[in-house]
Amino acid sequence: MKKHPLTRILFIFICTAALTLALGACAAEPEETIVGVWSGVDEAGNTGTIEFQADGTVIIDETLAGDYEIVDEEQIQLEGPAGVISFDYELDGDTLVLANETGSMTFERVEEE
């Protein structure tokens, strides 16, 4: 029995859609990929570290603690003793850039020992 061409096209479409959904489900969420210790430098040459923990805690320069929330794909909020500060962020592999109206800081992921 000869298969109808439409059946073959429909089969290919369904397989492609299933593969796309499966691969999309494997992609890590920003909340997962940002977790870790980051070392950075700002536009003026000042250095610092920031640690994002899986429970939503953030530690800045090993002394200031607070919470963080990834608002969307481009914005993160840090909440601590100074209140809530919003940043635009860009995460590309092991490079993280935080920026707002006061300036920007580029971080590199610190390898865990």
Side-chain angles (χ1 to χ4, degrees):
M1 181 174 173
K2 192 172 187 179
K3 291 187 177 180
H4 192 274
L6 184 58
T7 304
R8 187 171 289 165
I9 292 170
L10 185 58
F11 176 75
I12 291 170
F13 175 77
I14 290 172
C15 288
T16 302
L19 182 60
T20 301
L21 288 173
L23 291 176
C26 294
E29 294 293 320
E31 291 86 351
E32 297 169 357
T33 57
I34 202 168
V35 170
V37 179
W38 301 81
S39 178
V41 60
D42 68 12
E43 297 162 334
N46 301 308
T47 60
T49 61
I50 189 165
E51 179 179 357
F52 295 98
Q53 299 179 345
D55 66 357
T57 302
V58 62
I59 301 171
I60 300 171
D61 291 332
E62 300 179 356
T63 57
L64 297 174
D67 297 312
Y68 74 94
E69 177 184 1
I70 295 180
V71 178
D72 58 34
E73 293 178 359
E74 297 177 353
Q75 190 174 47
I76 187 170
Q77 290 183 339
L78 306 182
E79 182 176 358
V84 177
I85 302 172
S86 295
F87 293 92
D88 293 331
Y89 81 96
E90 184 178 335
L91 181 58
D92 184 14
D94 289 335
T95 302
L96 170 66
V97 178
L98 297 178
N100 64 13
E101 62 278 353
T102 63
S104 69
M105 192 162 191
T106 301
F107 295 88
E108 295 296 324
R109 187 182 302 273
V110 175
E111 295 294 325
E112 294 187 30
E113 299 175 12

